[in-house]
Amino acid sequence: MRGLDVTPQSYDVAIVGYGPVGVTAANLLGQMGLRVVVVERDADIYNRARAISTDEEVLRIWQRIGLAERLKDDMLSDRPLDFVDHRGSSFLSFVPKPRGHGHPPQLFIYQPALERVLREGVERFPNVDVLLEHECLRVCQAADHVELMLADLHSDEFKRLHATYVIAADGGSSPTRGQLGIGFEGKTYEDRWVVIDTEVVNEWPTHDRLRFHCDPVRPAVDCPTPLGHHRWEFPVLPGEDEKELVSPAAVWRLLERQGITEKEVKILRAVVYSHHVRFADRWQVGRIFLAGDAAHVMPPWIGEGMASGIRDVANLCWKLHAVITGALPESLLESYAEERKPHVREMTSRAVFFGRVITERRKLVTAVRNPVFRLSNKVPFLGTYMREFGWFPKTYFSKGFRSPRRHKAVGWQIPQPWVLAGDGNRARLDDAIGDQWTLLHLGQATSWHEWTAAGVTAIAVKPAGSAPRTPDQIVDLDGALLSWMKDTGATAVAVRPDGYVYAAAGVGQKLPPPPTGLRCTRSPGALADTPAAPSLTTTRRQHLTEGAL
């Protein structure tokens, strides 16, 4: 290594790690106008698909950065989900129903393609510097900044950077977490799994559905992935040799058990991995925050590992922006882990439970399980519960950055209908109101002058059939927002920049006051997926094959 760069560059936020979580944070912060640097050890995107699905809430986050529609071009949605027995007969089958976020409830992804689009998104922002082939060797905190010592792996030089805050999104083995001495408690399950990624040559009858093969002899997961790919996962059984199990002959034996031959697929790779359940002891040390796998890892059974990391940075980035711009005090940042940890733990618990359902190998138990699930799918209440993802925990903040005055709407994210904005254009709600504090109300008499005095925009919500007469009105075309406000008993809600309700009031109630110190400053604005916005919908489409990656 050569000499040390003498004068360090200064940034608002440094992001260590440029996977899906880090690149989403770079887009969010870049859109907010902050000065950002990304530090990534590798020269390019990791070419193996790891995450294989995401959900509507995450698409809503990517919508905020103007990339949702482009990303959906490379995804599969509205696919059936089947639990099948050892004979291949379904005992539970449904297509997930939407939960109000304005996007399909479950989407299958090809991760290298997804990351490519997200990285292209970062290129829109001249205020974001991306340092590939750079390793963060050390982080050292001062009173008002963090110093990062970097090694340029291409030129063999050292560099120093200063950042007001740091987001460590550097994976489950997080070197940053290790430097900070943060424990990573939990367990690694004894079961090892072989993952087989393939390229589809000829489609077969069930190629387009997610199938959990609940065979006590050899459980399996059979998952569609877009852009001509398909994945299978099988447990490594006691006594099996892992090296032999990923050999071409062994891989074909596993696939042939599912009726798949060389006529249907081409094998791309086969690897063995373990499932982990781990949580970092702390998610914040001074000015440094852990996000994604650096903070928590979970089994893949409900496809929420990557999604949970995306939720982390969506929660954190608007708070960093608010503190850096002086809109809110620094104490706001203490709510990051307080809000995110409970949901991540609940999501992990559900993933572990469904893993047990899928991989149950006691024949007596499976003999009971299968008819019970068949029956539950036919019973009105239970069937609806399953189809509408009732078993899938919604994000809710029972504590954290929210008004201390209780209300049924507080802590929940508002639904996202299509609306007519004040200019008469049709848009999704988030695109219409932007990433800012907003007060949505029904026009009924209540007091909120403290909110408008703090710079919060008040917008009246009108029913379908109305015409928005002024810029401070929107028309709820779907009726979803009005219905939700009625169900929660809210006539006015104060909504945070991430779409969660900070405070609410009902008929005859005064809206609780805004948080202490709130001083709203409008960010550069939402990059809506429209031709006028710098989205990627018109960018040259790359055909992302194995060779291209």
Side-chain angles (χ1 to χ4, degrees), residues 413-434:
Q413 190 173 25
I414 58 174
Q416 180 180 216
W418 285 93
V419 301
L420 280 183
D423 58 7
N425 289 324
R426 184 174 181 269
R428 290 188 174 96
L429 176 64
D430 293 358
D431 293 334
I433 66 177

Side-chain angles (χ1 to χ4, degrees), residues 76-97:
L76 299 175
S77 62
D78 300 318
R79 294 301 194 268
L81 187 154
D82 278 347
F83 290 77
V84 302
D85 60 21
H86 65 285
R87 294 185 298 269
S89 176
S90 174
F91 60 84
L92 179 63
S93 180
F94 60 91
V95 177
K97 297 268 186 82

Side-chain angles (χ1 to χ4, degrees), residues 45-52 109-113 115 195-198 225-226 229-231 233 268-269 271 273 546 549:
I45 292 167
Y46 187 52
N47 69 358
R48 183 166 69 83
R50 291 157 291 172
I52 55 174
I109 67 171
Y110 185 62
Q111 186 174 334
E115 290 191 46
V195 176
I196 303 169
D197 285 314
T198 70
T225 48
H229 297 86
H230 202 94
R231 172 181 287 185
E233 300 181 11
L268 298 177
R269 64 182 63 82
V271 295
Y273 68 89
E546 290 301 303
L549 293 170

Side-chain angles (χ1 to χ4, degrees), residues 185-186 277-283 295-298 308 337 339-352 393:
E185 302 301 322
V277 174
R278 297 188 184 277
F279 301 94
D281 294 342
R282 293 174 291 166
W283 291 19
H296 49 79
V297 292
M298 67 180 72
S308 292
E339 291 182 346
R340 286 296 304 137
K341 275 186 177 181
H343 185 259
V344 170
R345 286 189 178 276
E346 180 65 17
M347 195 70 79
T348 303
S349 175
R350 301 294 177 91
V352 171

Side-chain angles (χ1 to χ4, degrees), residues 55-73:
D55 60 47
E56 60 190 297
E57 187 178 337
V58 171
L59 257 293
R60 189 173 178 178
I61 293 167
W62 287 329
Q63 177 193 331
R64 288 165 51 193
I65 55 176
L67 300 180
E69 297 308 311
R70 171 62 186 89
L71 287 166
K72 285 196 288 190
D73 286 345

Side-chain angles (χ1 to χ4, degrees), residues 287-302:
R287 295 177 173 273
I288 303 173
F289 299 84
L290 305 184
D293 285 357
H296 49 79
V297 292
M298 67 180 72
W301 301 115
I302 56 176

Side-chain angles (χ1 to χ4, degrees), residues 502-517:
Y502 176 88
V507 176
Q509 296 177 329
K510 180 181 178 181
L511 191 67
T516 302

